Amino acid sequence: MKKIFIHGVVAGILATIASVIYNNLYQSTLGVSFDKIINIGSVFGACIFGCVLISVANFVLFKFKKENLQGILNVIVVVLSFVSIIGPISMTLPLDVEFPEMFPGLVIPMHFFPALAFFAIDPFFKQSSIKSATKLDNI
């Protein structure tokens, strides 16, 4: 459980770093500011929550010995990432925000960063368990 939880937290931190970098690049390049609507705290919370939620789902698969369903879980995570973009698309921004049509371009990619970060570092966390299983098979 500890290793799965650490996987989620590390992925959440990486997703947060990617989101903050993307946020800064997007806003500085396009000359827009959505600081009143989105802040680093909310980005951090969403990324950590998303990645830990994926970790909990992985733990449930592991606990019930259903690791062969990992692919289905990954597809569900991707589908839920797509579904989560409904919020920013349907969001009504305050009238004093300039260029509100640029807001979805900022936040929609960020909805995929937690899954991307989790899947990107997954082999590093699986590798040690594969080595342990291989050592046990050789005994």
Side-chain angles (χ1 to χ4, degrees):
M1 171 71 178
K2 182 179 178 182
K3 185 173 154 182
I4 293 173
F5 179 73
I6 291 171
H7 181 183
V9 171
V10 170
I13 291 169
L14 290 175
T16 300
I17 291 168
S19 295
V20 169
I21 290 170
Y22 178 73
N23 181 30
N24 291 335
L25 285 172
Y26 186 90
Q27 291 190 72
S28 64
T29 302
L30 297 176
V32 294
S33 177
F34 297 111
D35 294 335
K36 294 178 185 176
I37 302 160
I38 187 171
N39 59 44
I40 293 174
S42 62
V43 169
F44 178 77
C47 289
I48 294 290
F49 176 75
C51 288
V52 169
L53 194 61
I54 298 169
S55 289
V56 168
N58 276 310
F59 176 73
V60 169
L61 286 182
F62 178 74
K63 190 73 171 168
F64 292 109
K65 301 189 184 325
K66 300 290 185 183
E67 291 91 2
N68 56 341
L69 299 177
Q70 185 70 48
I72 294 170
L73 175 63
N74 291 351
V75 170
I76 291 170
V77 167
V78 171
V79 167
L80 290 175
S81 295
F82 272 103
V83 169
S84 73
I85 67 174
I86 293 171
I89 289 174
S90 62
M91 188 173 176
T92 304
L93 299 179
L95 295 175
D96 63 338
V97 174
E98 292 185 38
F99 306 111
E101 67 277 3
M102 304 291 274
F103 183 71
L106 171 64
V107 295
I108 287 175
M110 290 183 192
H111 281 246
F112 297 98
F113 289 170
L116 183 63
F118 192 90
F119 296 149
I121 66 171
D122 192 46
F124 296 105
F125 286 87
K126 299 271 181 178
Q127 192 64 30
S128 61
S129 61
I130 291 171
K131 286 179 184 175
S132 299
T134 305
K135 287 179 184 176
L136 290 175
D137 289 341
N138 292 334
I139 294 178

PDB file of all heavy atoms in Angstrom, residues 20-50:
ATOM      1  N   VAL A  20       1.802  23.866 -13.502  1.00  0.00           N
ATOM      2  CA  VAL A  20       2.255  25.228 -13.185  1.00  0.00           C
ATOM      3  C   VAL A  20       3.115  25.784 -14.316  1.00  0.00           C
ATOM      4  O   VAL A  20       2.965  26.949 -14.713  1.00  0.00           O
ATOM      5  CB  VAL A  20       3.002  25.246 -11.832  1.00  0.00           C
ATOM      6  CG1 VAL A  20       3.709  26.571 -11.602  1.00  0.00           C
ATOM      7  CG2 VAL A  20       2.031  24.955 -10.693  1.00  0.00           C
ATOM      8  N   ILE A  21       3.989  24.960 -14.859  1.00  0.00           N
ATOM      9  CA  ILE A  21       4.813  25.405 -15.992  1.00  0.00           C
ATOM     10  C   ILE A  21       3.926  25.744 -17.184  1.00  0.00           C
ATOM     11  O   ILE A  21       4.083  26.794 -17.817  1.00  0.00           O
ATOM     12  CB  ILE A  21       5.864  24.331 -16.357  1.00  0.00           C
ATOM     13  CG1 ILE A  21       6.930  24.241 -15.259  1.00  0.00           C
ATOM     14  CG2 ILE A  21       6.513  24.638 -17.710  1.00  0.00           C
ATOM     15  CD1 ILE A  21       7.876  23.062 -15.408  1.00  0.00           C
ATOM     16  N   TYR A  22       2.971  24.854 -17.486  1.00  0.00           N
ATOM     17  CA  TYR A  22       2.055  25.111 -18.601  1.00  0.00           C
ATOM     18  C   TYR A  22       1.234  26.367 -18.354  1.00  0.00           C
ATOM     19  O   TYR A  22       1.052  27.184 -19.266  1.00  0.00           O
ATOM     20  CB  TYR A  22       1.139  23.896 -18.805  1.00  0.00           C
ATOM     21  CG  TYR A  22       0.124  24.110 -19.904  1.00  0.00           C
ATOM     22  CD1 TYR A  22       0.523  24.105 -21.239  1.00  0.00           C
ATOM     23  CD2 TYR A  22      -1.217  24.330 -19.614  1.00  0.00           C
ATOM     24  CE1 TYR A  22      -0.395  24.305 -22.255  1.00  0.00           C
ATOM     25  CE2 TYR A  22      -2.141  24.531 -20.617  1.00  0.00           C
ATOM     26  CZ  TYR A  22      -1.726  24.517 -21.936  1.00  0.00           C
ATOM     27  OH  TYR A  22      -2.647  24.730 -22.937  1.00  0.00           O
ATOM     28  N   ASN A  23       0.754  26.547 -17.140  1.00  0.00           N
ATOM     29  CA  ASN A  23      -0.027  27.732 -16.776  1.00  0.00           C
ATOM     30  C   ASN A  23       0.778  29.005 -17.024  1.00  0.00           C
ATOM     31  O   ASN A  23       0.288  29.956 -17.645  1.00  0.00           O
ATOM     32  CB  ASN A  23      -0.449  27.636 -15.305  1.00  0.00           C
ATOM     33  CG  ASN A  23      -1.277  28.800 -14.840  1.00  0.00           C
ATOM     34  OD1 ASN A  23      -2.014  29.419 -15.602  1.00  0.00           O
ATOM     35  ND2 ASN A  23      -1.170  29.111 -13.562  1.00  0.00           N
ATOM     36  N   ASN A  24       2.004  29.026 -16.548  1.00  0.00           N
ATOM     37  CA  ASN A  24       2.850  30.213 -16.724  1.00  0.00           C
ATOM     38  C   ASN A  24       3.181  30.468 -18.190  1.00  0.00           C
ATOM     39  O   ASN A  24       3.133  31.613 -18.653  1.00  0.00           O
ATOM     40  CB  ASN A  24       4.129  30.092 -15.898  1.00  0.00           C
ATOM     41  CG  ASN A  24       3.857  30.168 -14.410  1.00  0.00           C
ATOM     42  OD1 ASN A  24       2.866  30.750 -13.971  1.00  0.00           O
ATOM     43  ND2 ASN A  24       4.722  29.560 -13.621  1.00  0.00           N
ATOM     44  N   LEU A  25       3.517  29.418 -18.920  1.00  0.00           N
ATOM     45  CA  LEU A  25       3.824  29.575 -20.345  1.00  0.00           C
ATOM     46  C   LEU A  25       2.607  30.063 -21.124  1.00  0.00           C
ATOM     47  O   LEU A  25       2.709  30.961 -21.967  1.00  0.00           O
ATOM     48  CB  LEU A  25       4.329  28.264 -20.941  1.00  0.00           C
ATOM     49  CG  LEU A  25       5.749  27.861 -20.605  1.00  0.00           C
ATOM     50  CD1 LEU A  25       6.029  26.451 -21.102  1.00  0.00           C
ATOM     51  CD2 LEU A  25       6.737  28.835 -21.196  1.00  0.00           C
ATOM     52  N   TYR A  26       1.465  29.454 -20.875  1.00  0.00           N
ATOM     53  CA  TYR A  26       0.235  29.795 -21.593  1.00  0.00           C
ATOM     54  C   TYR A  26      -0.134  31.262 -21.363  1.00  0.00           C
ATOM     55  O   TYR A  26      -0.391  32.000 -22.306  1.00  0.00           O
ATOM     56  CB  TYR A  26      -0.896  28.875 -21.121  1.00  0.00           C
ATOM     57  CG  TYR A  26      -2.187  29.032 -21.896  1.00  0.00           C
ATOM     58  CD1 TYR A  26      -2.419  28.253 -23.029  1.00  0.00           C
ATOM     59  CD2 TYR A  26      -3.177  29.920 -21.491  1.00  0.00           C
ATOM     60  CE1 TYR A  26      -3.605  28.364 -23.735  1.00  0.00           C
ATOM     61  CE2 TYR A  26      -4.363  30.041 -22.199  1.00  0.00           C
ATOM     62  CZ  TYR A  26      -4.574  29.259 -23.321  1.00  0.00           C
ATOM     63  OH  TYR A  26      -5.754  29.378 -24.022  1.00  0.00           O
ATOM     64  N   GLN A  27      -0.140  31.662 -20.094  1.00  0.00           N
ATOM     65  CA  GLN A  27      -0.570  33.019 -19.779  1.00  0.00           C
ATOM     66  C   GLN A  27       0.438  34.066 -20.259  1.00  0.00           C
ATOM     67  O   GLN A  27       0.046  35.127 -20.756  1.00  0.00           O
ATOM     68  CB  GLN A  27      -0.828  33.160 -18.277  1.00  0.00           C
ATOM     69  CG  GLN A  27      -2.049  32.366 -17.845  1.00  0.00           C
ATOM     70  CD  GLN A  27      -2.474  32.655 -16.429  1.00  0.00           C
ATOM     71  OE1 GLN A  27      -3.003  33.726 -16.168  1.00  0.00           O
ATOM     72  NE2 GLN A  27      -2.236  31.695 -15.530  1.00  0.00           N
ATOM     73  N   SER A  28       1.720  33.781 -20.139  1.00  0.00           N
ATOM     74  CA  SER A  28       2.715  34.775 -20.574  1.00  0.00           C
ATOM     75  C   SER A  28       2.805  34.850 -22.099  1.00  0.00           C
ATOM     76  O   SER A  28       2.963  35.929 -22.657  1.00  0.00           O
ATOM     77  CB  SER A  28       4.081  34.471 -19.971  1.00  0.00           C
ATOM     78  OG  SER A  28       4.580  33.237 -20.442  1.00  0.00           O
ATOM     79  N   THR A  29       2.668  33.711 -22.760  1.00  0.00           N
ATOM     80  CA  THR A  29       2.751  33.701 -24.222  1.00  0.00           C
ATOM     81  C   THR A  29       1.554  34.400 -24.855  1.00  0.00           C
ATOM     82  O   THR A  29       1.713  35.172 -25.815  1.00  0.00           O
ATOM     83  CB  THR A  29       2.833  32.252 -24.746  1.00  0.00           C
ATOM     84  OG1 THR A  29       3.969  31.616 -24.167  1.00  0.00           O
ATOM     85  CG2 THR A  29       2.957  32.224 -26.258  1.00  0.00           C
ATOM     86  N   LEU A  30       0.369  34.150 -24.327  1.00  0.00           N
ATOM     87  CA  LEU A  30      -0.844  34.712 -24.923  1.00  0.00           C
ATOM     88  C   LEU A  30      -1.266  36.038 -24.300  1.00  0.00           C
ATOM     89  O   LEU A  30      -2.226  36.659 -24.762  1.00  0.00           O
ATOM     90  CB  LEU A  30      -1.988  33.703 -24.843  1.00  0.00           C
ATOM     91  CG  LEU A  30      -1.739  32.411 -25.621  1.00  0.00           C
ATOM     92  CD1 LEU A  30      -2.869  31.438 -25.415  1.00  0.00           C
ATOM     93  CD2 LEU A  30      -1.545  32.701 -27.099  1.00  0.00           C
ATOM     94  N   GLY A  31      -0.574  36.471 -23.254  1.00  0.00           N
ATOM     95  CA  GLY A  31      -0.873  37.751 -22.632  1.00  0.00           C
ATOM     96  C   GLY A  31      -2.219  37.798 -21.937  1.00  0.00           C
ATOM     97  O   GLY A  31      -2.898  38.826 -21.938  1.00  0.00           O
ATOM     98  N   VAL A  32      -2.626  36.682 -21.363  1.00  0.00           N
ATOM     99  CA  VAL A  32      -3.891  36.622 -20.627  1.00  0.00           C
ATOM    100  C   VAL A  32      -3.587  36.326 -19.164  1.00  0.00           C
ATOM    101  O   VAL A  32      -2.496  35.870 -18.825  1.00  0.00           O
ATOM    102  CB  VAL A  32      -4.846  35.552 -21.198  1.00  0.00           C
ATOM    103  CG1 VAL A  32      -5.291  35.911 -22.588  1.00  0.00           C
ATOM    104  CG2 VAL A  32      -4.219  34.181 -21.169  1.00  0.00           C
ATOM    105  N   SER A  33      -4.561  36.602 -18.311  1.00  0.00           N
ATOM    106  CA  SER A  33      -4.385  36.316 -16.892  1.00  0.00           C
ATOM    107  C   SER A  33      -5.682  35.743 -16.329  1.00  0.00           C
ATOM    108  O   SER A  33      -6.724  36.395 -16.363  1.00  0.00           O
ATOM    109  CB  SER A  33      -4.005  37.584 -16.132  1.00  0.00           C
ATOM    110  OG  SER A  33      -3.901  37.305 -14.755  1.00  0.00           O
ATOM    111  N   PHE A  34      -5.564  34.534 -15.826  1.00  0.00           N
ATOM    112  CA  PHE A  34      -6.692  33.886 -15.186  1.00  0.00           C
ATOM    113  C   PHE A  34      -6.388  33.601 -13.715  1.00  0.00           C
ATOM    114  O   PHE A  34      -6.889  32.648 -13.132  1.00  0.00           O
ATOM    115  CB  PHE A  34      -7.047  32.584 -15.920  1.00  0.00           C
ATOM    116  CG  PHE A  34      -7.486  32.802 -17.337  1.00  0.00           C
ATOM    117  CD1 PHE A  34      -6.690  32.397 -18.386  1.00  0.00           C
ATOM    118  CD2 PHE A  34      -8.693  33.425 -17.614  1.00  0.00           C
ATOM    119  CE1 PHE A  34      -7.082  32.609 -19.705  1.00  0.00           C
ATOM    120  CE2 PHE A  34      -9.099  33.639 -18.921  1.00  0.00           C
ATOM    121  CZ  PHE A  34      -8.293  33.234 -19.972  1.00  0.00           C
ATOM    122  N   ASP A  35      -5.542  34.446 -13.127  1.00  0.00           N
ATOM    123  CA  ASP A  35      -5.126  34.249 -11.743  1.00  0.00           C
ATOM    124  C   ASP A  35      -6.280  34.344 -10.758  1.00  0.00           C
ATOM    125  O   ASP A  35      -6.222  33.781  -9.665  1.00  0.00           O
ATOM    126  CB  ASP A  35      -4.030  35.248 -11.368  1.00  0.00           C
ATOM    127  CG  ASP A  35      -2.741  34.998 -12.140  1.00  0.00           C
ATOM    128  OD1 ASP A  35      -2.523  33.847 -12.564  1.00  0.00           O
ATOM    129  OD2 ASP A  35      -1.962  35.955 -12.326  1.00  0.00           O
ATOM    130  N   LYS A  36      -7.348  35.065 -11.117  1.00  0.00           N
ATOM    131  CA  LYS A  36      -8.512  35.179 -10.231  1.00  0.00           C
ATOM    132  C   LYS A  36      -9.308  33.874 -10.195  1.00  0.00           C
ATOM    133  O   LYS A  36     -10.058  33.627  -9.265  1.00  0.00           O
ATOM    134  CB  LYS A  36      -9.445  36.294 -10.702  1.00  0.00           C
ATOM    135  CG  LYS A  36      -8.863  37.674 -10.612  1.00  0.00           C
ATOM    136  CD  LYS A  36      -9.849  38.689 -11.138  1.00  0.00           C
ATOM    137  CE  LYS A  36      -9.240  40.077 -11.161  1.00  0.00           C
ATOM    138  NZ  LYS A  36     -10.163  41.055 -11.771  1.00  0.00           N
ATOM    139  N   ILE A  37      -9.148  33.054 -11.213  1.00  0.00           N
ATOM    140  CA  ILE A  37      -9.973  31.854 -11.349  1.00  0.00           C
ATOM    141  C   ILE A  37      -9.206  30.595 -10.955  1.00  0.00           C
ATOM    142  O   ILE A  37      -9.750  29.711 -10.308  1.00  0.00           O
ATOM    143  CB  ILE A  37     -10.479  31.730 -12.800  1.00  0.00           C
ATOM    144  CG1 ILE A  37     -11.263  32.987 -13.151  1.00  0.00           C
ATOM    145  CG2 ILE A  37     -11.323  30.491 -12.991  1.00  0.00           C
ATOM    146  CD1 ILE A  37     -11.408  33.211 -14.613  1.00  0.00           C
ATOM    147  N   ILE A  38      -7.958  30.512 -11.354  1.00  0.00           N
ATOM    148  CA  ILE A  38      -7.155  29.312 -11.113  1.00  0.00           C
ATOM    149  C   ILE A  38      -5.885  29.726 -10.364  1.00  0.00           C
ATOM    150  O   ILE A  38      -5.258  30.714 -10.715  1.00  0.00           O
ATOM    151  CB  ILE A  38      -6.835  28.588 -12.430  1.00  0.00           C
ATOM    152  CG1 ILE A  38      -6.156  27.261 -12.193  1.00  0.00           C
ATOM    153  CG2 ILE A  38      -6.026  29.439 -13.356  1.00  0.00           C
ATOM    154  CD1 ILE A  38      -6.021  26.412 -13.432  1.00  0.00           C
ATOM    155  N   ASN A  39      -5.553  28.967  -9.320  1.00  0.00           N
ATOM    156  CA  ASN A  39      -4.331  29.272  -8.574  1.00  0.00           C
ATOM    157  C   ASN A  39      -3.540  27.993  -8.332  1.00  0.00           C
ATOM    158  O   ASN A  39      -4.044  26.885  -8.545  1.00  0.00           O
ATOM    159  CB  ASN A  39      -4.649  29.990  -7.255  1.00  0.00           C
ATOM    160  CG  ASN A  39      -5.538  29.169  -6.347  1.00  0.00           C
ATOM    161  OD1 ASN A  39      -5.324  27.983  -6.178  1.00  0.00           O
ATOM    162  ND2 ASN A  39      -6.550  29.805  -5.768  1.00  0.00           N
ATOM    163  N   ILE A  40      -2.327  28.148  -7.867  1.00  0.00           N
ATOM    164  CA  ILE A  40      -1.439  27.004  -7.685  1.00  0.00           C
ATOM    165  C   ILE A  40      -2.004  26.027  -6.648  1.00  0.00           C
ATOM    166  O   ILE A  40      -1.877  24.811  -6.791  1.00  0.00           O
ATOM    167  CB  ILE A  40      -0.020  27.477  -7.302  1.00  0.00           C
ATOM    168  CG1 ILE A  40       0.604  28.218  -8.481  1.00  0.00           C
ATOM    169  CG2 ILE A  40       0.856  26.305  -6.893  1.00  0.00           C
ATOM    170  CD1 ILE A  40       1.941  28.853  -8.194  1.00  0.00           C
ATOM    171  N   GLY A  41      -2.645  26.544  -5.624  1.00  0.00           N
ATOM    172  CA  GLY A  41      -3.217  25.671  -4.592  1.00  0.00           C
ATOM    173  C   GLY A  41      -4.277  24.735  -5.142  1.00  0.00           C
ATOM    174  O   GLY A  41      -4.300  23.541  -4.830  1.00  0.00           O
ATOM    175  N   SER A  42      -5.157  25.273  -5.989  1.00  0.00           N
ATOM    176  CA  SER A  42      -6.201  24.421  -6.557  1.00  0.00           C
ATOM    177  C   SER A  42      -5.615  23.429  -7.553  1.00  0.00           C
ATOM    178  O   SER A  42      -6.074  22.284  -7.640  1.00  0.00           O
ATOM    179  CB  SER A  42      -7.291  25.265  -7.216  1.00  0.00           C
ATOM    180  OG  SER A  42      -6.773  26.029  -8.285  1.00  0.00           O
ATOM    181  N   VAL A  43      -4.611  23.846  -8.290  1.00  0.00           N
ATOM    182  CA  VAL A  43      -3.947  22.933  -9.230  1.00  0.00           C
ATOM    183  C   VAL A  43      -3.263  21.807  -8.465  1.00  0.00           C
ATOM    184  O   VAL A  43      -3.393  20.629  -8.811  1.00  0.00           O
ATOM    185  CB  VAL A  43      -2.932  23.699 -10.112  1.00  0.00           C
ATOM    186  CG1 VAL A  43      -2.057  22.749 -10.896  1.00  0.00           C
ATOM    187  CG2 VAL A  43      -3.644  24.655 -11.043  1.00  0.00           C
ATOM    188  N   PHE A  44      -2.555  22.170  -7.394  1.00  0.00           N
ATOM    189  CA  PHE A  44      -1.866  21.168  -6.574  1.00  0.00           C
ATOM    190  C   PHE A  44      -2.866  20.176  -5.988  1.00  0.00           C
ATOM    191  O   PHE A  44      -2.671  18.957  -6.071  1.00  0.00           O
ATOM    192  CB  PHE A  44      -1.077  21.861  -5.456  1.00  0.00           C
ATOM    193  CG  PHE A  44      -0.367  20.909  -4.533  1.00  0.00           C
ATOM    194  CD1 PHE A  44       0.815  20.299  -4.931  1.00  0.00           C
ATOM    195  CD2 PHE A  44      -0.866  20.631  -3.277  1.00  0.00           C
ATOM    196  CE1 PHE A  44       1.475  19.412  -4.085  1.00  0.00           C
ATOM    197  CE2 PHE A  44      -0.213  19.751  -2.425  1.00  0.00           C
ATOM    198  CZ  PHE A  44       0.955  19.140  -2.830  1.00  0.00           C
ATOM    199  N   GLY A  45      -3.942  20.691  -5.422  1.00  0.00           N
ATOM    200  CA  GLY A  45      -4.955  19.817  -4.825  1.00  0.00           C
ATOM    201  C   GLY A  45      -5.587  18.883  -5.834  1.00  0.00           C
ATOM    202  O   GLY A  45      -5.773  17.687  -5.565  1.00  0.00           O
ATOM    203  N   ALA A  46      -5.917  19.405  -7.003  1.00  0.00           N
ATOM    204  CA  ALA A  46      -6.557  18.576  -8.032  1.00  0.00           C
ATOM    205  C   ALA A  46      -5.604  17.493  -8.544  1.00  0.00           C
ATOM    206  O   ALA A  46      -6.020  16.341  -8.747  1.00  0.00           O
ATOM    207  CB  ALA A  46      -7.036  19.455  -9.185  1.00  0.00           C
ATOM    208  N   CYS A  47      -4.349  17.848  -8.752  1.00  0.00           N
ATOM    209  CA  CYS A  47      -3.376  16.867  -9.257  1.00  0.00           C
ATOM    210  C   CYS A  47      -3.107  15.773  -8.234  1.00  0.00           C
ATOM    211  O   CYS A  47      -3.089  14.582  -8.579  1.00  0.00           O
ATOM    212  CB  CYS A  47      -2.074  17.561  -9.654  1.00  0.00           C
ATOM    213  SG  CYS A  47      -2.199  18.563 -11.143  1.00  0.00           S
ATOM    214  N   ILE A  48      -2.900  16.163  -6.987  1.00  0.00           N
ATOM    215  CA  ILE A  48      -2.658  15.167  -5.938  1.00  0.00           C
ATOM    216  C   ILE A  48      -3.890  14.275  -5.776  1.00  0.00           C
ATOM    217  O   ILE A  48      -3.780  13.042  -5.713  1.00  0.00           O
ATOM    218  CB  ILE A  48      -2.291  15.846  -4.601  1.00  0.00           C
ATOM    219  CG1 ILE A  48      -0.944  16.565  -4.713  1.00  0.00           C
ATOM    220  CG2 ILE A  48      -2.285  14.840  -3.451  1.00  0.00           C
ATOM    221  CD1 ILE A  48       0.260  15.649  -4.839  1.00  0.00           C
ATOM    222  N   PHE A  49      -5.075  14.884  -5.733  1.00  0.00           N
ATOM    223  CA  PHE A  49      -6.312  14.112  -5.573  1.00  0.00           C
ATOM    224  C   PHE A  49      -6.479  13.116  -6.719  1.00  0.00           C
ATOM    225  O   PHE A  49      -6.776  11.936  -6.488  1.00  0.00           O
ATOM    226  CB  PHE A  49      -7.521  15.051  -5.504  1.00  0.00           C
ATOM    227  CG  PHE A  49      -8.833  14.334  -5.440  1.00  0.00           C
ATOM    228  CD1 PHE A  49      -9.240  13.720  -4.262  1.00  0.00           C
ATOM    229  CD2 PHE A  49      -9.658  14.245  -6.550  1.00  0.00           C
ATOM    230  CE1 PHE A  49     -10.447  13.041  -4.193  1.00  0.00           C
ATOM    231  CE2 PHE A  49     -10.870  13.570  -6.494  1.00  0.00           C
ATOM    232  CZ  PHE A  49     -11.265  12.963  -5.315  1.00  0.00           C
ATOM    233  N   GLY A  50      -6.285  13.566  -7.951  1.00  0.00           N
ATOM    234  CA  GLY A  50      -6.443  12.691  -9.106  1.00  0.00           C
ATOM    235  C   GLY A  50      -5.485  11.523  -9.086  1.00  0.00           C
ATOM    236  O   GLY A  50      -5.875  10.371  -9.316  1.00  0.00           O
TER     237      GLY A  50
END
